Amino acid sequence: MSYVFSATPTPAVPTPTTPAPGDGADFFSILMWPFKWLVEALLVFWHWLLTSLGLPEAAGATWVLSIVGLVIVVRAALIPLFVRQIKSQRKMMEIAPELKKVQEKYRGKRDQLSREAMSRETMALYKKHGTTPVSSCLPLLVQMPILLGMFYTLSDVKRHAEWGVGGVGLLSPELTKQFYDAQLFDVAPLHTNMIDAINQGQMATVVILIILVVLMIGSQFITQLQIISKNLSPEAKTGQAYQMQRIMLYVLPLAFIFSGVFFPLGVVIYWFVSNLWTMAQQFIVIRNLPTPGSEAAKEREERLARKGKALTADGKIVPMDKYQAEQQRLYEEAQKAKEQAPKRQQPMSKKRAKKQQKNKPESDNGA
């Protein structure tokens, strides 16, 4: 289909400088324009690919799979940031006891100098370990504009379909009408949210949305539970960051319940599929790159031991006999260093030293 490669919008298409009928080109619309364009481009590409493989153009399954394709592209692009997030979360949990010491040091001190000193020591600790609290939020922060772009693209579908116009980029008027008519299981329109479905008496859509919102919340809960239950060391579980993460584990579902009411079905599908990706990705990371000292790390060592292998201090997997030989060598080197190290003499009083000198044999006191 040639429309995939044509990026020229029709004159009636809303742009930052050409508002749609009844629309205003406010600052937020201008800000979201690039993300909506990107979302539309990815949706149209996947729609073209799927229809090229024989799927019906206007079928709900085609557009749902296009949303899944959008998730795949976005999340695959975020893999480097995800790896960075995992490392940052791990470091934040590990330095939690040190952060607590800094906070205890300045507890009750409200003067400006004390606050600045605490801030300097905290930042120095972050710099030393190469992490910041923001680093653990990067994938979510980067993905939020795409999620908002998806939200506003689907929210505009109804109006644009009624006006007979397309989106801001590759989503032509014809495709906009197909997207508007697309239904999950041929009963639930992708552009409808729960409030609209209730008002319009679309009970099948309401049931589907409730199920998807519950699944979305459940997948998010399981993902976070994987981290705090298996991938934290005992030291990390004593810090304030761990306590905050446990609280958020139960607070976030409440926010998702509220937001899920206002999200169109297509956005809920996007979020749920994205959560499934995160859950699988998290499982792979925890299984193969667990935090040292955590329950997941112990389970990995047990799996390797059953296969006759072990993990060295630098993270390499080696045969068990080689690992034992290395441990024996390190033990012997440590013992040798201990023997060669100068022995620490016990402090002695002058009276005791004089007494020992007096009791020495005469042969030891020879000139």
Side-chain angles (χ1 to χ4, degrees):
M1 294 183 182
S2 60
Y3 59 75
V4 176
F5 306 101
S6 175
T8 305
T10 61
V13 173
T15 66
T17 56
T18 308
D23 248 1
D26 56 15
F27 175 76
F28 189 76
S29 298
I30 297 173
L31 187 66
M32 289 305 302
W33 188 90
F35 302 106
K36 291 175 67 176
W37 192 96
L38 178 61
V39 168
E40 289 184 13
L42 291 172
L43 282 173
V44 171
F45 167 75
W46 280 100
H47 183 266
W48 166 79
L49 181 63
L50 293 167
T51 53
S52 299
L53 295 175
L55 272 68
E57 291 185 5
T62 305
W63 285 103
V64 169
L65 290 175
S66 298
I67 294 173
V68 173
L70 173 66
V71 174
I72 292 172
V73 173
V74 173
R75 295 311 305 271
L78 290 177
I79 287 177
L81 283 179
F82 177 80
V83 174
R84 183 176 177 182
Q85 178 195 27
I86 291 296
K87 292 180 179 178
S88 178
Q89 285 179 339
R90 183 178 298 178
K91 289 178 181 178
M92 285 297 297
M93 290 296 178
E94 294 302 326
I95 68 174
E98 296 180 59
L99 285 173
K100 188 176 181 180
K101 289 180 181 178
V102 173
Q103 293 167 355
E104 289 293 335
K105 180 179 177 182
Y106 293 97
R107 183 181 294 276
K109 298 180 180 180
R110 301 182 180 277
D111 59 284
Q112 184 68 22
L113 291 177
S114 296
R115 289 200 300 268
E116 290 177 357
M118 185 175 74
S119 178
R120 284 196 303 271
E121 291 185 29
T122 302
M123 295 306 297
L125 196 58
Y126 289 150
K127 185 177 181 180
K128 176 183 175 182
H129 292 272
T131 185
T132 61
V134 178
S135 299
S136 60
C137 302
L138 276 176
L140 181 61
L141 293 175
V142 173
Q143 193 179 187
M144 280 307 295
I146 303 297
L147 186 64
L148 287 173
M150 185 73 184
F151 175 82
Y152 284 103
T153 297
L154 286 169
S155 298
D156 290 342
V157 161
K158 182 178 180 180
R159 291 183 300 161
H160 291 173
E162 292 173 350
W163 294 333
V165 300
V168 298
L170 302 181
L171 201 61
S172 66
E174 178 188 359
L175 290 174
T176 299
K177 186 64 168 63
Q178 289 181 9
F179 205 170
Y180 175 76
D181 293 334
Q183 296 181 341
L184 179 62
F185 305 131
D186 295 327
V187 293
L190 298 180
H191 65 271
T192 302
N193 60 35
M194 193 174 297
I195 293 178
D196 291 339
I198 292 173
N199 292 336
Q200 296 169 13
Q202 300 175 354
M203 296 312 298
T205 304
V206 172
V207 172
I208 291 174
L209 275 166
I210 290 174
I211 292 172
L212 282 175
V213 169
V214 170
L215 291 174
M216 182 182 74
I217 294 172
S219 57
Q220 182 76 27
F221 182 85
I222 292 172
T223 301
Q224 291 301 115
L225 189 62
Q226 284 183 109
I227 299 174
I228 67 174
S229 64
K230 284 193 171 185
N231 203 36
L232 296 180
S233 64
E235 295 79 12
K237 290 183 178 181
T238 61
Q240 186 177 1
Y242 172 72
Q243 299 301 327
M244 286 298 298
Q245 197 158 2
R246 282 191 64 87
I247 293 172
M248 293 304 293
L249 178 66
Y250 298 98
V251 171
L252 281 177
L254 298 177
F256 290 139
I257 290 173
F258 179 78
S259 59
V261 173
F262 298 96
F263 282 171
L265 176 57
V267 174
V268 176
I269 292 173
Y270 175 92
W271 203 328
F272 173 54
V273 176
S274 182
N275 282 354
L276 291 180
W277 177 292
T278 302
M279 189 164 59
Q281 194 170 241
Q282 189 78 58
F283 174 80
I284 294 171
V285 170
I286 292 176
R287 181 179 175 83
N288 297 290
L289 294 171
T291 302
S294 65
E295 182 182 340
K298 294 176 182 177
E299 291 177 357
R300 188 189 183 202
E301 291 173 2
E302 291 173 359
R303 289 196 303 270
L304 290 173
R306 288 195 294 269
K307 296 178 181 179
K309 298 179 180 179
L311 200 65
T312 61
D314 55 359
K316 293 181 180 179
I317 299 175
V318 297
M320 184 63 72
D321 55 349
K322 185 176 180 181
Y323 171 78
Q324 292 175 344
E326 181 186 10
Q327 293 299 307
Q328 182 64 29
R329 179 180 60 79
L330 292 174
Y331 174 76
E332 291 174 356
E333 289 178 356
Q335 288 295 111
K336 186 176 180 181
K338 185 177 179 181
E339 292 174 359
Q340 293 177 351
K343 294 183 178 180
R344 181 175 178 271
Q345 293 184 349
Q346 188 74 16
M348 187 181 302
S349 64
K350 291 182 180 180
K351 184 177 180 181
R352 185 178 177 186
K354 186 176 180 181
K355 185 176 180 181
Q356 284 189 358
Q357 186 68 24
K358 185 177 179 181
N359 292 336
K360 282 186 178 181
E362 292 185 3
S363 57
D364 293 345
N365 295 329

